[in-house]
Amino acid sequence: MNHEETRGAHHDPDGLDAHIAGLPYGVMSHDTIIRGPGAAAPTAQPDPWAPEDVVPSAEPEAEPLRGVPAHVGNRPPTYPPHPLGRPSLRDADAFAPFSPVVLLDGAQIGRLTVRAASLRGDSHNWEGSCRQDAMAVTRIGPPEAEMLLLAVADGVGSALYSHVGSYQFSRLAAVYLDREAESIHAALCARNENELHVLATKAVAGAAAQLRSDWARASQHQPRPYADQDYATTLHVLLIPTDPRIRDRVVCSVGDGGLFVLREGHWEHGDPDDGGELLDTRTEALPHAYRSVKATLLRTVPGEVLLLGTDGITNPLTQKDPEFGRRLADAWGGPEVPSLSDFLWQAQTRAKTYDDDRTVICVWEEGA
């Protein structure tokens, strides 16, 4: 429409007066005043439709942007704090190009709350290679013997397909442990660590046998022959009964990484009988270079935080400088469980020389 056609004799330059007069009552806010040049501002008028006792609320403050993840030490790591390249379909296996840089998960089951994150490490971000860590959060067993299952796996850096090994072991081990769930639950209730060791070893061996068969069959259509060491990965599984009356938990482990417990503001190894050397089995890896699965019982109380992680998180927790552990203790030991986004940002706390992939799952338990 041509604006010249709307000009009238009452100095309404754009026809706005007529337009506003034709609007239904209430469309224009009472404090939205349109005036011509030189017009005096009208005095404020009370709103006859406003409730008498309503006081306008203050505008909510905007949440501050998280920005670059925090770091410990005097300087941040040399690597940039964000992902760079990624594998191409033309120069990688079929799995790596579709592996996301970050996995984020969580759950609330009864009194248990879970936060989980798996992050591509600084060195892999820089190289543009895929994340070799994996994780799983699920439930196993029938209702009367149900357990929360949390798993983390760390593919060995030098193994060609370790990212495949970690991903598939973390899931298939859960399937085989589910088949033994009733027996595992009974052994937990009886605090029978030897039986738990037997059951965990049986389940993981079953998963390993199936995966080796699957991988060997798939390799027949690939130029490279199958080799166990190409899929090497660690594995740690934490089983927690969802019945709050059962206070025992079990960690099933192969390789480095493992479990920590946050008690009274301090991180402790989940296996006090190891004298601080929990899961110090750096040479062990699935599917071939391990003797058996270690099963460790521990008893916890509400208010303690359980942390299951790969060595990308457990190694900096044990460094001589306590700043890294103190930051996470402050973040995760408070009265409130962090949101998923907060947990991810906190889990990204950086430390020089610790540039590996990082997978961490934390569990909080509400008191009765």
Side-chain angles (χ1 to χ4, degrees), residues 245-259:
R245 296 171 297 180
I246 303 172
R247 302 310 316 161
D248 290 297
R249 291 85 175 88
V250 63
V251 187
C252 309
S253 306
V254 174
D256 52 5
L259 184 77

Side-chain angles (χ1 to χ4, degrees), residues 119-121 124 130-133 310 312 355-359:
L119 320 168
R120 193 167 73 167
H124 287 166
C130 78
R131 176 174 44 83
Q132 295 173 324
D133 275 12
T310 59
D355 55 11
D356 196 7
D357 293 346
R358 177 180 296 177
T359 301

Side-chain angles (χ1 to χ4, degrees), residues 304-349:
E304 296 176 341
V305 181
L306 303 184
L307 182 154
L308 186 72
T310 59
D311 61 1
I313 189 82
T314 60
N315 282 351
L317 273 182
T318 58
Q319 63 181 316
K320 292 181 179 179
D321 184 349
E323 184 182 357
F324 183 87
R326 187 166 54 243
R327 277 179 177 263
L328 295 189
D330 290 343
W332 297 339
E336 300 293 333
V337 174
S339 67
L340 284 173
S341 58
D342 284 348
F343 182 79
L344 172 61
W345 191 82
Q346 292 153 357
Q348 291 174 303
T349 302

